[in-house]
């Protein structure tokens, strides 16, 4: 009967084989599906996806021990501007290790940050290309910051030192300008950056009429994780936002995609506050200059009018004398015309009365009676036709000298 090996013996045999046949270190390109630190060590899960797809075709675990990771991490962060994280492509120098107790692992000896930078740049350029194809890349640059920008919506972490610095500088400015800043809290580092900032933008958009601009700021230096600011979805939301968006996310390296599509990019939160203060101070200067120009213009106008009044006042006595003489002559002519008109009207009226008197005398019935005519009356009314009378009526015939009473038969 063949004697079996113990598991430890078998694993030791495998470890010896790997140690002898794979003694060299290898550079490998892979994507991180997971990266975490514990007790100073860094544990990574590596994957490779099929080209053009999202299905992993290879997996492996990798470890970077504390003594190596303490040197690699600062250098990597200084070059790339961010920590390693899931979804990042990396180039690692590894050597194989098979431990009888813990199994197989790739041990990381070094990381090439330039490779990661190249992949980040490629992804960034693809995002920029897509934003330009959508026609939204320059939308923010077409906006105008209101002259009186005082109501500011701030997206930041509530506990970030940068937010406190921003508020202090804004409120304690040398010009004594007033600003109202309202915080819309968001996660500013890690995998939740994108969705957290988008949620804050959505909240601001619900009350967009209350604000003049949006400021996205965070504390921290160039070594903090900036990958969340280089995403297509976040860039689209900022580019399409109706208010000017100012970014001050505190890094010295190349602009993030968020910076590129924003209305104005500054380096730090305090620089964002300085930008807003300078903008409002420029408006104040324009107002003060306009005020001075208006006052000077009014003064000149008053001076010109005073000179004109003085000039006119020197001519008033002469002008008044001429005007008074003209008006007195005109008044005298009007009085004479009025008197003449009244006299003419009186004469005309007297002549008319004489004519009426003559007509009345001609129409006096007594003159007719004296000429032999008579007037027949019935009940005191003149009779003009026999049809007005009937049998039995009593009529009176008036003569020049008396009346005759008759009865109709």
């Amino acid at each position: 009967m063949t004697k079996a090996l113990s598991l430890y013996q078998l694993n030791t045999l495998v470890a010896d084989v790997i140690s002898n046949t794979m003694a060299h270190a290898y550079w490998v390109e892979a994507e991180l599906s997971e990266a975490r630190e514990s007790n100073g060590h860094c544990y990574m899960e590596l994957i490779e996806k099929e080209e053009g797809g999202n299905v992993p075709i290879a997996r492996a675990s990798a470890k970077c021990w504390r003594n190596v990771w303490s040197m690699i991490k600062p250098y990597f962060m200084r070059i790339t501007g961010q920590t390693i994280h899931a979804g990042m492509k990396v180039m690692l120098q590894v050597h194989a290790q098979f431990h009888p107790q813990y199994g197989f692992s790739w041990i990381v000896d070094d990381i090439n940050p330039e490779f990661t930078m190249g992949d980040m740049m490629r992804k960034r350029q693809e995002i920029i290309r897509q934003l330009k194809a959508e026609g939204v890349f320059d939308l923010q640059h077409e906006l105008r910051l209101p002259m009186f920008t005082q109501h500011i919506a701030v997206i930041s972490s509530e506990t970030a030192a940068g937010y406190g610095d921003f508020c202090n500088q804004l409120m304690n400015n040398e010009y004594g300008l007033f600003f109202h800043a309202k915080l819309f809290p968001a996660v500013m580092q890690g995998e939740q950056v994108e969705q957290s900032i988008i949620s804050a933008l959505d909240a601001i958009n619900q009350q967009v009429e209350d604000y003049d601009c949006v400021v996205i700021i965070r504390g921290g230096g160039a070594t903090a994780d900036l990958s969340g600011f280089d995403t297509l979805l976040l860039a689209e939301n900022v580019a399409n936002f109706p208010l000017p968006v100012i970014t001050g996310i505190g890094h010295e390296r190349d602009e993030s995609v968020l910076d590129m599509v924003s209305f104005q990019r500054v380096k730090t939160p305090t620089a964002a506050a300085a930008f807003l203060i300078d903008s409002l101070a420029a408006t104040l200067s324009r107002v003060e200059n306009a005020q001075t120009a208006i006052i000077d213009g009014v003064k000149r106008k008053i001076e010109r009018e005073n000179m004109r009044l003085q000039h006119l006042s020197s001519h008033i006595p002469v002008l008044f004398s001429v005007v008074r003489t003209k008006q007195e002559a005109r008044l005298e002519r009007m009085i004479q015309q009025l008197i003449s008109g009244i006299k003419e009207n009186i004469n005309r009226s007297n002549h008319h009365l004489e004519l009426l008197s003559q007509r009345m005398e001609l129409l006096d019935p007594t003159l007719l009676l004296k000429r032999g005519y008579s007037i027949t009356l019935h009940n005191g009314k003149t009779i003009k036709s026999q049809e007005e009378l009937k049998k039995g009526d009593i009529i009176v015939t008036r003569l020049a000298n008396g009346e005759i009473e008759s009865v109709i038969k």
Side-chain angles (χ1 to χ4, degrees):
M1 182 175 179
T2 304
K3 184 178 180 180
L5 296 173
S6 69
L7 179 59
Y8 179 80
Q9 291 174 326
L10 179 61
N11 283 353
T12 300
L13 179 61
V14 173
D16 292 339
V17 171
I18 290 176
S19 176
N20 293 328
T21 59
M22 300 184 68
H24 302 290
Y26 304 90
W27 283 101
V28 60
E29 298 176 8
E31 180 179 329
L32 295 173
S33 64
E34 182 181 345
R36 59 185 178 87
E37 295 184 58
S38 178
N39 296 324
H41 309 299
C42 183
Y43 299 89
M44 311 173 198
E45 293 296 327
L46 310 179
I47 60 171
E48 179 182 350
K49 297 177 181 178
E50 60 181 0
E51 188 173 353
N54 201 39
V55 178
I57 58 175
R59 294 179 181 272
S61 296
K63 301 179 180 69
C64 189
W65 302 124
R66 181 190 299 114
N67 61 326
V68 176
W69 182 242
S70 62
M71 294 184 293
I72 291 177
K73 177 182 177 181
Y75 177 67
F76 182 85
M77 293 177 68
R78 185 171 65 254
I79 298 300
T80 64
Q82 54 185 294
T83 60
I84 63 172
H85 58 269
M88 176 182 285
K89 287 190 176 181
V90 293
M91 179 183 286
L92 309 173
Q93 186 184 52
V94 298
H95 68 269
Q97 183 184 75
F98 189 90
H99 192 281
Q101 183 177 357
Y102 301 109
F104 180 83
S105 290
W106 291 106
I107 305 302
V108 178
D109 300 320
D110 199 0
I111 302 178
N112 182 357
E114 283 78 12
F115 173 83
T116 302
M117 284 290 292
D119 182 67
M120 289 165 52
M121 185 61 66
R122 180 190 61 78
K123 289 181 178 179
R124 183 182 301 168
Q125 291 303 319
E126 176 60 25
I127 292 174
I128 293 171
R129 185 201 64 77
Q130 187 165 343
L131 290 170
K132 290 182 176 180
E134 294 173 2
V136 301
F137 187 80
D138 292 316
L139 287 181
Q140 276 281 312
H141 300 152
E142 297 174 4
L143 300 177
R144 292 292 179 269
L145 194 69
M147 290 182 62
F148 295 91
T149 297
Q150 295 176 279
H151 294 83
I152 304 157
V154 183
I155 298 177
S156 180
S157 171
E158 188 171 8
T159 58
Y163 170 64
D165 294 340
F166 172 82
C167 291
N168 289 334
Q169 181 160 343
L170 203 63
M171 300 307 169
N172 301 314
N173 63 86
E174 60 180 307
Y175 304 99
L177 300 172
F178 171 77
F179 293 90
H180 173 74
K182 180 178 179 181
L183 176 66
F184 290 81
V187 175
M188 302 304 288
Q189 185 171 335
E191 296 180 3
Q192 299 179 17
V193 168
E194 177 189 77
Q195 191 53 52
S196 183
I197 294 179
I198 291 174
S199 297
L201 287 171
D202 290 341
I204 296 170
N205 198 38
Q206 295 297 318
Q207 43 189 305
V208 69
E209 298 297 331
D210 296 336
Y211 300 98
D212 300 314
C213 70
V214 177
V215 174
I216 301 176
I217 54 175
R218 59 153 209 165
T223 57
D225 185 3
L226 295 169
S227 61
F229 301 98
D230 276 336
T231 71
L232 176 62
L233 186 58
L234 178 57
E236 288 174 334
N237 275 266
V238 170
N240 285 287
F241 204 74
L243 296 178
V245 177
I246 300 166
T247 57
I249 53 179
H251 62 95
E252 300 292 336
R253 70 178 182 85
D254 294 338
E255 291 178 309
S256 67
V257 175
L258 179 66
D259 291 323
M260 295 177 186
V261 300
S262 66
F263 172 80
Q264 178 69 37
R265 179 248 179 170
V266 294
K267 291 183 178 180
T268 62
T270 53
F275 174 79
L276 293 170
I277 293 169
D278 291 344
S279 175
L280 191 57
T283 299
L284 176 62
S285 178
R286 290 180 62 182
V287 171
E288 290 176 341
N289 291 338
Q291 181 181 15
T292 301
I294 290 171
I295 293 173
D296 292 343
V298 171
K299 286 181 178 179
R300 289 192 297 269
K301 180 68 173 176
I302 291 174
E303 289 174 358
R304 286 195 299 268
E305 292 301 319
N306 283 334
M307 293 177 62
R308 180 170 172 270
L309 287 173
Q310 291 174 4
H311 177 73
L312 290 174
S313 64
S314 64
H315 290 77
I316 284 176
V318 177
L319 293 173
F320 178 74
S321 177
V322 173
V323 170
R324 184 178 64 179
T325 301
K326 290 181 178 180
Q327 293 300 322
E328 287 176 348
R330 181 171 175 269
L331 181 60
E332 182 64 28
R333 288 196 302 271
M334 291 177 63
I335 291 173
Q336 294 299 325
Q337 291 173 357
L338 182 59
I339 293 173
S340 177
I342 292 173
K343 289 180 177 180
E344 184 178 346
N345 285 335
I346 291 173
N347 292 335
R348 198 163 39 244
S349 297
N350 288 336
H351 178 67
H352 185 62
L353 288 174
E354 289 176 359
L355 292 177
L356 290 176
S357 177
Q358 292 174 6
R359 289 179 184 177
M360 289 178 63
E361 289 178 0
L362 292 174
L363 295 175
D364 188 355
T366 57
L367 295 177
L368 294 175
L369 294 177
K370 289 179 179 180
R371 295 175 185 173
Y373 293 97
S374 63
I375 299 174
T376 302
L377 304 173
H378 177 252
N379 294 330
K381 295 181 179 180
T382 304
I383 302 301
K384 298 179 180 179
S385 172
Q386 65 180 7
E387 295 177 353
E388 297 180 26
L389 302 173
K390 63 180 182 297
K391 187 178 180 180
D393 287 340
I394 299 173
I395 61 176
V396 176
T397 302
R398 182 177 294 171
L399 303 173
N401 295 312
E403 294 179 352
I404 301 172
E405 192 175 278
S406 307
V407 178
I408 302 300
K409 293 185 179 182

